Amino acid sequence: MGLEGKETSSFMRDFLDRYGGYAVIDGGFATELERHGADLNDPLWSAKCLISSPHLVRRVHLDYLDAGANIILTASYQATLQGFEAKGFSREEGENLLRRSVEIAREAREIYYDRCTKDSSDFMRDERHRRRPILIAASVGSYGAYLADGSEYVGDYGDAVTVKTLKDFHRERVKILVDAGADLIAFETIPNKLETKAYAELLEEGIETPAWFSFSCKDESNVVSGDSIFECATVADSCRQVAAVGVNCTAPRFIHGLISSITKATSKPVLVYPNSGETYIAESNQWVKSSGKAEDDFVPYISKWRDAGASLFGGCCRTTPNTIKGVAGELLGTLPHK
Ligand SMILES: C[S+](C)CC[C@H](N)C(=O)O
Ligand SMILES: N[C@@H](CCS)C(=O)O
Ligand SMILES: [Zn+2]
């Protein structure tokens, strides 16, 4: 890693230093929307709520801030200009919806800070919570997420899809999210090396906002397509704008091994936000139990994952504010009391 790489990763390191060396990412965003009654059976999935119920989006951000998150991800995971156009929205309307995803998260942060100054609960009396810095991460789901058929858990786009196809697909959307004032870009649930390269090349076209690369993985050494996590993390490491590398929407039982592989490829901060360990059935839009652990069972592993080298922790699909409360509690317990 060259000097430039060091400078960019200092964005995340500086942020982590302000809160004892770690950060709490939010939990399953779509999951929490559904718990509030949203029907996400739609090609836009959670992004549908940007149209139908922006108040719910704001509410879910606040749920996670209340639970102790200090990085929240926008509702843009499956929000794409192409997806909005397919629904009959004009280009301009699509751009506005993308911008709104960042604005709503920023509004939630303002409401939260405002509330904190008035709140006198035990949780808020703890300065480490009240004064914590909060980042807005613009979620960018993969091309597979846009396909809305669970492809982000398979990662096979066929031979016709190239790095160029993927760069062209994501370019405008990423620019809009950056211009809307996101603090960083969260490229998440990345299923293969092809899309990793596309994101890296896109950032190198001149985007200066820091990003994280987070992969969905099928075992301890491979992303869902079968490409090696080491190779994918190596691509991430070589990109100056990448401020953290890790895994999300992956079963808790693979996380420890994945952290070991990632730390061999990069010295950038490592993030982990696993799902519940259940398996997604795209046809029915349902989750089924697998051999994984139940929802917030991974909370006791947080300190082990921290020892293995991770420093940002949260949850993905099928985790809730309750999980994040557990994660924040585990981490806070390891901080020196002031
Ligand atoms: C992370 S998966 C559960 C998201 C949903 C998927 N892209 C779909 O629309 O079916
Ligand atoms: N940020 C998205 C990721 C889905 S894999 C969500 O939590 O809904
Ligand atoms: Zn997920």
Side-chain angles (χ1 to χ4, degrees):
M1 190 169 48
L3 179 65
E4 287 168 295
K6 268 188 194 151
E7 280 167 5
T8 307
S9 76
S10 73
F11 162 84
M12 190 55 85
R13 293 207 184 282
D14 292 350
F15 176 73
L16 294 170
D17 284 348
R18 290 167 68 191
Y19 194 51
Y22 65 82
V24 182
I25 303 169
D26 64 10
F29 186 76
T31 303
E32 188 62 5
L33 285 170
E34 283 179 321
R35 274 177 14 108
H36 283 294
D39 173 10
L40 305 185
N41 199 356
D42 188 277
L44 293 178
W45 199 46
S46 54
K48 181 188 155 197
C49 290
L50 290 169
I51 304 162
S52 62
S53 38
H55 60 284
L56 217 52
V57 172
R58 197 180 301 107
R59 166 83 192 269
V60 170
H61 289 318
L62 279 163
D63 286 350
Y64 279 117
L65 291 171
D66 285 339
N70 57 356
I71 303 183
I72 54 172
L73 278 79
T74 60
S76 47
Y77 175 79
Q78 209 147 307
T80 61
L81 293 170
Q82 298 85 339
F84 290 131
E85 274 170 27
K87 283 256 171 190
F89 289 95
S90 69
R91 181 84 179 182
E92 200 188 342
E93 286 168 332
E95 290 178 5
N96 283 338
L97 286 164
L98 276 168
R99 270 192 286 275
R100 273 306 283 151
S101 69
V102 176
E103 286 163 7
I104 294 169
R106 294 178 60 166
E107 285 162 19
R109 177 170 61 184
E110 283 317 305
I111 294 168
Y112 179 77
Y113 278 144
D114 203 45
R115 264 211 232 140
C116 288
T117 56
K118 295 171 190 143
D119 191 319
S120 59
S121 66
D122 282 353
F123 184 78
M124 280 309 160
R125 258 203 299 264
D126 190 324
E127 295 226 331
R128 294 167 300 178
H129 271 299
R130 201 174 58 229
R131 302 265 173 88
R132 70 188 199 273
I134 292 167
L135 295 180
I136 308 294
S139 168
V140 174
S142 65
Y143 177 70
Y146 154 75
L147 295 177
D149 58 1
S151 284
E152 64 267 63
Y153 298 139
V154 181
D156 180 3
Y157 297 157
D159 292 341
V161 173
T162 62
V163 166
K164 180 177 182 315
T165 320
L166 295 172
K167 275 160 58 181
D168 291 345
F169 176 80
H170 289 291
R171 186 174 291 107
E172 284 311 308
R173 165 198 199 197
V174 169
K175 275 193 196 143
I176 292 164
L177 292 168
V178 165
D179 290 346
D183 299 309
L184 74 145
I185 313 161
F187 293 103
E188 52 173 353
T189 330
I190 308 172
N192 56 35
K193 194 168 158 189
L194 190 76
E195 203 150 20
T196 314
K197 281 188 188 153
Y199 289 146
E201 287 185 19
L202 209 54
L203 290 174
E204 279 152 14
E205 284 181 6
I207 292 170
E208 288 305 325
T209 300
W212 79 41
F213 280 14
S214 181
F215 301 92
S216 60
C217 299
K218 66 173 183 183
D219 56 35
E220 294 198 341
S221 349
N222 300 289
V223 303
V224 290
S225 66
D227 294 334
S228 103
I229 184 70
F230 177 82
E231 285 180 23
C232 290
T234 302
V235 174
D237 182 62
S238 67
C239 182
R240 179 174 59 83
Q241 292 88 335
V242 173
V245 186
V247 294
N248 74 292
C249 222
T250 295
R253 63 189 180 280
F254 303 136
I255 298 295
H256 201 278
L258 287 161
I259 295 170
S260 308
S261 304
I262 293 169
T263 52
K264 287 190 185 89
T266 185
S267 57
K268 297 186 193 226
V270 173
L271 56 101
V272 293
Y273 53 115
N275 60 25
S276 61
E278 293 161 287
T279 304
Y280 184 64
I281 310 295
E283 294 75 31
S284 56
N285 204 1
Q286 280 174 337
W287 291 87
V288 295
K289 289 251 174 276
S290 55
S291 52
K293 309 263 181 181
E295 192 222 295
D296 46 8
D297 272 1
F298 68 74
V299 170
Y301 298 124
I302 296 290
S303 58
K304 283 208 180 80
W305 294 344
R306 200 157 93 124
D307 293 347
S311 45
L312 298 96
F313 307 89
C316 203
C317 294
R318 306 282 282 170
T319 69
T320 68
N322 200 35
T323 319
I324 299 311
K325 223 177 220 170
V327 170
E330 276 291 301
L331 293 169
L332 199 62
T334 66
L335 277 185
H337 279 267
K338 289 182 180 160

